[in-house]
Amino acid sequence: GESESESEDSMCLNIVCSVPKRKQVPRAPDQAPVYAPTSKRVRLPGCQGSVVHQAPWGGSGSLESDLHELCRYVQISDREHRAREEMFRKIRGACVLLWPEACIELYGSVATGLSTFCSDIDLCIRKAPGKSRLNVRRLAGTLKAAGWAERVEPRTNTKVPIVYAVHKHTGIEADVSFDKTKINHGMELQRAAAAKFKVLRPVTVALKLMLKYCNLDKPFRGGVSNFKLICLVIKLLQKRRTNDAAQAFEWFLETYSSPSAYSDELHCQVGPTSVVVELGPKGVRRLPECISLFAHAHGALLDGKRLIPQLVPMQSLQRDRDASLQRSARYR
């Protein structure tokens, strides 16, 4: 999975550009963060030397068409959905053994309908007695003993301790946390935004895949979490309303390729539901790389060439899509 993507990415076109450093220069309290530029190599994930592979869905090649076709191509199938339900049941069974009074909740993109075939399962256990870090170790031990997991990791040194698990047969990943606050607020906000902004899903899906194939989508590696990315898209759509996915996508790349668009905290509200997410060097450690990626994507868009195959490596996407369908057929 990741190692193959990294090896394929190494063939991508290298571009020398001006990228912000993580270290901030002094600023007044009411100013947005300002980053000092430095030279760094950045890659557009869909480029392999001078070759850009065609999209598996064909199509007219317009950005609007490609965004919607990409969204349909990566949508979770019924078989993949059932495999995720089965993994949920297995983790819930382990929780019942350890903490009979606890309850387990599904949240994240799978719960809100903004998922793709490569989305993991986000779970939260509530009412489990004891400290979260101790509970993470206990649950990890139980999942390892069950035998169905290919890989189980208790991640206790993160800001929010989690159990990370991978299903042996399907390759589906799960993150399990304990008593995480404000989960319901986040889910309500995403559902309300998806109903209000019809272009939210196609724009977000394309951005998620672009970040994934650049290894910038994992928070514990300093990347942008799905929720923070969705909040950035929502904030943009609230300022600049459109039903044109291509226009919204271009606006996103143009807006967020500038360091001045970011503040240390992002306040996001849809209807009565509001959340605050942490950005800046503390919230997204590799934010400068993300800014650079958005800037190069915007530059590629202005060149007039078909954009999505430059941003998402089509051979890798098709291989991963086929592999996911095959693995989900083997779930037990």
Side-chain angles (χ1 to χ4, degrees):
E2 290 181 3
S3 61
E4 292 176 2
S5 297
E6 290 172 0
S7 64
E8 181 175 271
D9 287 345
S10 66
M11 301 169 63
C12 295
L13 176 65
N14 287 338
I15 306 170
V16 179
C17 67
S18 179
V19 185
K21 286 182 179 177
R22 291 173 191 158
K23 187 176 180 180
Q24 292 177 269
V25 299
R27 71 182 196 277
D30 58 343
Q31 288 181 317
V34 179
Y35 299 91
T38 185
S39 179
K40 188 170 183 177
R41 291 188 176 273
V42 180
R43 300 166 187 149
L44 292 180
C47 298
Q48 298 180 19
S50 59
V51 178
V52 177
H53 292 278
Q54 294 300 311
W57 56 82
S60 66
S62 71
L63 180 56
E64 182 74 15
S65 171
D66 275 349
L67 285 168
H68 289 286
E69 289 294 338
L70 175 65
C71 197
R72 282 189 282 269
Y73 184 75
V74 301
Q75 187 172 355
I76 290 180
S77 68
D78 290 341
R79 182 186 296 169
E80 289 166 322
H81 182 68
R82 290 194 298 271
R84 282 166 171 76
E85 289 181 333
E86 178 66 14
M87 190 172 184
F88 173 80
R89 285 192 289 270
K90 288 181 180 296
I91 295 174
R92 182 176 60 186
C95 293
V96 169
L97 286 175
L98 292 170
W99 309 286
E101 302 301 320
C103 60
I104 183 167
E105 300 176 5
L106 177 69
Y107 69 101
S109 59
V110 173
T112 57
L114 295 172
S115 59
T116 69
F117 73 89
C118 48
S119 296
D120 60 6
I121 306 174
D122 295 303
L123 302 171
C124 180
I125 300 172
R126 299 190 185 277
K127 301 179 182 178
K131 295 183 178 181
S132 293
R133 282 177 169 77
L134 178 59
N135 288 340
V136 161
R137 294 189 184 96
R138 291 187 65 193
L139 178 60
T142 301
L143 294 182
K144 286 179 181 178
W148 57 262
E150 175 183 80
R151 183 177 166 193
V152 179
E153 293 179 10
R155 294 177 176 170
T156 57
N157 294 325
T158 54
K159 185 176 180 180
V160 177
I162 65 166
V163 178
Y164 169 76
V166 183
H167 197 284
K168 183 186 299 183
H169 299 295
T170 65
I172 294 172
E173 301 173 340
D175 290 338
V176 188
S177 58
F178 288 81
D179 294 317
K180 200 172 179 181
T181 59
K182 299 183 179 179
I183 283 178
N184 292 336
H185 283 82
M187 290 177 60
E188 290 170 7
L189 182 133
Q190 291 178 76
R191 288 183 179 128
K196 185 175 183 179
F197 305 114
K198 302 304 180 186
V199 300
L200 178 66
R201 178 171 168 78
V203 171
T204 302
V205 164
L207 292 167
K208 284 169 66 172
L209 290 170
M210 180 174 68
L211 291 168
K212 167 185 165 60
Y213 286 106
C214 282
N215 296 314
L216 289 171
D217 63 328
K218 301 296 184 184
F220 68 92
R221 291 180 184 157
V224 183
S225 70
N226 286 336
F227 183 61
K228 289 180 180 179
L229 179 65
I230 289 169
C231 287
L232 287 171
V233 178
I234 291 171
K235 198 71 176 178
L236 176 76
L237 293 175
Q238 287 176 328
K239 292 180 179 178
R240 307 177 75 173
R241 293 293 297 271
T242 181
N243 290 321
D244 187 312
Q247 188 175 56
F249 193 73
E250 181 177 356
W251 284 345
F252 183 97
L253 296 178
E254 178 185 19
T255 301
Y256 292 115
S257 62
S258 171
S260 62
Y262 300 85
S263 57
D264 288 337
E265 290 185 342
L266 175 68
H267 296 256
C268 189
Q269 180 169 354
V270 179
T273 307
S274 64
V275 297
V276 178
V277 296
E278 190 177 33
L279 295 174
K282 290 184 179 180
V284 183
R285 180 168 47 82
R286 296 174 68 188
L287 181 62
E289 295 172 62
C290 299
I291 295 172
S292 176
L293 178 62
F294 297 150
H296 283 295
H298 186 245
L301 186 151
L302 296 178
D303 286 342
K305 297 179 182 178
R306 191 171 183 179
L307 182 64
I308 295 302
Q310 294 185 69
L311 305 187
V312 181
M314 290 297 150
Q315 280 192 325
S316 293
L317 179 67
Q318 190 168 8
R319 180 196 63 216
D320 293 345
R321 187 75 192 91
D322 293 343
S324 176
L325 289 170
Q326 292 171 7
R327 288 195 304 265
S328 64
R330 303 198 302 265
Y331 82 87
R332 294 291 183 270

